[in-house]
Amino acid sequence: MSHNWNSHGLPFIPGYSFRDVTKSAFHRPQTLDYKLGYALPHRPTVGIGQDPLLSEQLIQQEISELSSETPDITYGSFDQSVVRDFIPAHVALDKKVLRFHAYFQENILFSPEEELRVRPVVIYYYLEDDSMCIYEPRVENYGIPQGKRIKRQRLPKNERGEHYLWKNLNIGMDLEVYGVKYHITQCDAFTKEFMESEGIVLNDPEQMPVDPYDKRRKNPQPSYAKPSRLDHMHQFLTMDGKVLRFFALWDDADALFGQTLPVTIQYYLVDDTVEIREIHKPNSGRDPFPILMRRQKLPKEIKPASESFPSCVLELSTAEVEEYYSPKDFQVGQTMKLLGRRFLLYDCDGFTKEYYQNNHPDIEMKPSEEPKNTDLLKKRKEVPPYNGFGSLEDSLQNCLFLIPKPPKKNVLKMLENDHKVLRYSARLDSQNPEDEGRRFILSYFLSNDMVSIFESPARNSGIIGGQFLEKTRVPKPASTVEHPEFYSPADFAIGATVEVFSHRFVLTDADHYVLTYLESIASQIPCRTLDSLHQKLREGTANNQPADQNGADVAEPSS
């Protein structure tokens, strides 16, 4: 058996291991203690392995505490002070922040217009750990980086390692941090209350000095030069973020597989550029790229000398364009052509209406509803004629879908009217004398609106009876492929002629179940059909003709 031997020649098993005095232990001991549920820094006692500087500091602190104590009487002290609840400083001062308003001056070099700038800042002092943070409020379009100037940390006060404390701050003083001098002008109400509660008298608040650069921008010096036709700086400062939005229809029906699509036309007033975006509906199948035309200036008229300019290859510059599109060229209710595409403007948003009322009152902005039945909309697909194969609904699916789907059935109607059949007796209306004595039974199935015809066999007639027409839907003579119409129980009146695929049948009789069912839905059946059934069945009852009440085969009518 092999053993693991250490440097002393002893096996590495319990009882034979010793601490190596030549090695040092650098592990960190426990640094936190808990008192009344609060985590506090650990105060180590003097002993072997402890930090000598920290131990010596604790010894001096304990000596000073013992020397400051006064001996009491054996039976206790006369000062019965109330014991206060223990709350550590980091808990009591959590989220309590002092806020001071200050500014610093930034010298501007090599500029004939300004010498310095006054930049306001906010100084936050966190009482929890005596850390500070300096933040400069952001100003839109200021042109220089702003925001957090100094992240939260303890700011050094001098070269001796001291840091700024709340007792060193006051209104009217200069706070010098990392070579920048911040002058404190005022503070908020919480800071004033806290400082006065600690016995510090605050100075009177000061006014923030005016920045010469901001003052010069608000009150520009009079200029005696002739102004340009367009003041781009004024347009940028006044029109930034203001956009005119029009709702339009893009007419692309002339292209292959083209159609009319809704779009939004956005006119940016800050630089007179135009952008066109498509409006995609959910599950439209179109690519998720709504930008139809990128943001750019649209030329309205080109100089005559530049008409031969290859604009399809190169972009037009200001030298080749005579005039660009402006807000006065966009009017609701008119069709305009942009880069070879036609757009019908039918509406705009509220800001656009207000802009035209204030700046262009002569232009009428009357929104109209989105056109539904115009030439701009998608052309209706033509359905090819019915070829006779399969049912009409089933054949139509080949024209609507690439992969035909079976037509949907009314399952509820099929379940409610299952095994419900209306039976009529009929004769064939034909000019052939051989068809004179042929008798048929016409069955109408309420579950799927189909009709079947059965021929009753007659002895010595020479015609084999049986199924004449299998179950199918029978269209009316005036039915078309676009608007199909099929026979229903309302059309089956006694004495009526039913044309079934070029064969004419005259209804002569019906069973009692037909009358019972049609009376239950009398509001949907014409009075002529019900009267004919009442009259025929009343005559059959008077002549003692048998009739089946449950939809059985009707008897042959008497000749």
Side-chain angles (χ1 to χ4, degrees):
M1 180 182 296
S2 61
H3 297 278
N4 186 12
W5 301 89
N6 56 14
S7 59
H8 298 282
L10 297 177
F12 191 70
I13 57 177
Y16 288 90
S17 60
F18 298 93
R19 186 175 68 87
D20 192 354
V21 296
T22 61
K23 296 183 179 181
S24 301
F26 296 99
H27 65 277
R28 292 284 297 174
Q30 184 178 357
T31 59
L32 293 178
D33 286 341
Y34 286 87
K35 181 178 181 181
L36 299 179
Y38 298 106
L40 299 175
H42 179 63
R43 299 180 62 182
T45 57
V46 181
I48 301 177
Q50 301 295 340
D51 191 352
L53 297 178
L54 186 59
S55 302
E56 181 179 357
Q57 182 180 1
L58 292 176
I59 292 175
Q60 296 294 335
Q61 184 178 0
E62 291 177 357
I63 293 174
S64 61
E65 290 178 357
L66 292 176
S67 62
S68 62
E69 293 181 356
T70 55
D72 298 333
I73 303 179
T74 307
Y75 297 100
S77 174
F78 290 100
D79 185 11
Q80 300 293 337
S81 60
V82 180
V83 179
R84 298 182 179 179
D85 296 336
F86 173 76
I87 300 178
H90 69 274
V91 176
L93 301 177
D94 185 26
K95 298 181 180 180
K96 292 186 178 181
V97 184
L98 306 181
R99 184 175 63 172
F100 297 90
H101 296 274
Y103 71 91
F104 70 97
Q105 295 181 356
E106 180 185 14
N107 296 327
I108 305 299
L109 304 178
F110 312 109
S111 177
E113 298 180 353
E114 54 182 344
E115 297 180 358
L116 56 89
R117 288 187 183 180
V118 178
R119 300 174 60 176
V121 296
V122 181
I123 302 175
Y124 297 96
Y125 186 94
Y126 299 87
L127 295 173
E128 175 186 358
D129 53 357
D130 298 327
S131 60
M132 300 177 67
C133 171
I134 300 180
Y135 179 83
E136 182 179 3
R138 298 181 184 273
V139 179
E140 187 178 3
N141 298 327
Y142 200 70
I144 58 176
Q146 294 176 320
K148 187 178 292 186
R149 291 186 55 83
I150 300 178
K151 65 180 182 180
R152 182 176 173 179
Q153 56 183 293
R154 298 188 68 184
L155 300 182
K157 182 179 179 181
N158 47 37
E159 298 179 355
R160 297 189 298 272
E162 298 179 357
H163 298 84
Y164 280 104
L165 300 177
W166 54 268
K167 60 184 66 177
N168 304 129
L169 303 179
N170 202 333
I171 297 177
M173 66 167 290
D174 292 334
L175 181 68
E176 187 172 355
V177 180
Y178 299 129
V180 180
K181 187 178 296 184
Y182 300 92
H183 186 77
I184 302 176
T185 58
Q186 56 183 347
C187 63
D188 58 3
F190 172 77
T191 305
K192 182 178 180 181
E193 181 181 356
F194 176 80
M195 300 291 280
E196 291 178 352
S197 64
E198 297 296 332
I200 298 178
V201 179
L202 294 177
N203 301 327
D204 295 334
E206 300 178 2
Q207 292 292 335
M208 187 74 65
V210 180
D211 188 6
Y213 178 73
D214 292 340
K215 183 178 180 180
R216 186 173 54 84
R217 288 184 60 183
K218 294 179 180 179
N219 300 320
Q221 297 180 358
S223 177
Y224 301 99
K226 183 178 180 180
S228 61
R229 186 169 60 90
L230 292 176
D231 189 357
H232 297 284
M233 178 60 70
H234 181 268
Q235 184 179 5
F236 173 75
L237 296 177
T238 57
M239 296 298 178
D240 186 25
K242 297 181 180 180
V243 184
L244 306 180
R245 184 170 63 170
F246 301 89
F247 302 97
L249 291 176
W250 172 32
D251 182 14
D252 193 32
D254 297 337
L256 183 63
F257 307 111
Q259 57 183 345
T260 300
L261 300 175
V263 298
T264 58
I265 302 177
Q266 302 182 20
Y267 187 94
Y268 295 85
L269 296 173
V270 65
D271 53 358
D272 298 324
T273 55
V274 181
E275 182 185 59
I276 302 178
R277 289 174 170 264
E278 296 184 17
I279 301 177
H280 291 165
K281 296 181 179 179
N283 302 325
S284 62
R286 304 187 66 85
D287 294 333
F289 305 106
I291 302 297
L292 178 63
M293 186 187 72
R294 65 177 179 84
R295 181 176 174 181
Q296 58 181 308
K297 297 187 70 174
L298 292 180
K300 184 180 179 181
E301 294 183 7
I302 303 177
K303 295 181 179 180
S306 303
E307 291 181 354
S308 60
F309 184 83
S311 58
C312 60
V313 180
L314 302 176
E315 294 184 359
L316 293 172
S317 62
T318 310
E320 289 84 14
V321 179
E322 182 73 24
E323 183 183 359
Y324 288 96
Y325 276 99
S326 61
K328 62 182 180 180
D329 299 321
F330 293 83
Q331 187 172 353
V332 175
Q334 293 186 358
T335 301
M336 60 186 313
K337 201 169 186 181
L338 303 177
L339 295 183
R341 297 180 175 91
R342 291 179 299 172
F343 297 93
L344 173 61
L345 308 181
Y346 65 88
D347 200 357
C348 59
D349 58 1
F351 172 77
T352 306
K353 298 176 184 178
E354 183 179 357
Y355 173 81
Y356 276 90
Q357 291 176 0
N358 299 333
N359 298 274
H360 302 282
D362 55 331
I363 299 179
E364 296 183 0
M365 304 296 291
K366 294 183 178 180
S368 60
E369 296 182 358
E370 184 178 355
K372 299 297 182 182
N373 299 320
T374 60
D375 296 337
L376 293 177
L377 294 181
K378 181 180 178 181
K379 296 182 180 180
R380 184 178 180 182
K381 295 181 179 179
E382 296 182 0
V383 179
Y386 177 57
N387 55 7
F389 292 96
S391 63
L392 186 61
E393 295 83 358
D394 194 12
S395 300
L396 184 61
Q397 302 300 317
N398 296 277
C399 306
L400 301 179
F401 304 99
L402 181 62
I403 301 177
K405 300 179 182 179
K408 295 183 179 180
K409 299 180 180 179
N410 192 348
V411 181
L412 183 60
K413 181 180 179 180
M414 295 174 60
L415 295 176
E416 291 179 351
N417 299 319
D418 191 23
H419 300 295
K420 293 183 180 181
V421 185
L422 305 181
R423 291 185 174 88
Y424 303 85
S425 81
R427 62 179 178 85
L428 186 61
D429 184 10
S430 175
Q431 297 179 358
N432 189 358
E434 297 178 357
D435 297 335
E436 183 68 24
R438 302 176 67 178
R439 295 294 180 266
F440 300 88
I441 297 176
L442 187 146
S443 302
Y444 185 89
F445 299 88
L446 296 173
S447 60
N448 50 15
D449 298 329
M450 289 188 177
V451 176
S452 69
I453 300 178
F454 181 83
E455 183 177 4
S456 301
R459 184 176 298 178
N460 299 327
S461 63
I463 299 176
I464 300 176
Q467 188 175 11
F468 182 83
L469 177 69
E470 64 180 2
K471 293 173 60 175
T472 182
R473 298 180 70 182
V474 180
K476 293 183 180 180
S479 176
T480 60
V481 179
E482 292 80 7
H483 303 284
E485 296 182 6
F486 299 94
Y487 280 107
S488 64
D491 303 319
F492 295 154
I494 303 301
T497 302
V498 180
E499 185 174 345
V500 181
F501 301 117
S502 302
H503 293 77
R504 296 170 60 86
F505 293 89
V506 180
L507 303 182
T508 59
D509 203 351
D511 57 6
H512 279 283
Y513 179 74
V514 176
L515 180 60
T516 304
Y517 175 77
L518 295 184
E519 286 180 347
S520 63
I521 56 172
S523 60
Q524 306 175 12
I525 305 300
C527 297
R528 183 178 63 85
T529 303
L530 290 176
D531 294 343
S532 64
L533 289 171
H534 277 292
Q535 183 179 0
K536 184 63 180 179
L537 294 178
R538 192 182 303 113
E539 293 178 358
T541 305
N543 297 332
N544 295 325
Q545 293 291 342
D548 192 355
Q549 298 289 341
N550 297 323
D553 294 342
V554 297
E556 285 285 333
S558 58
S559 56

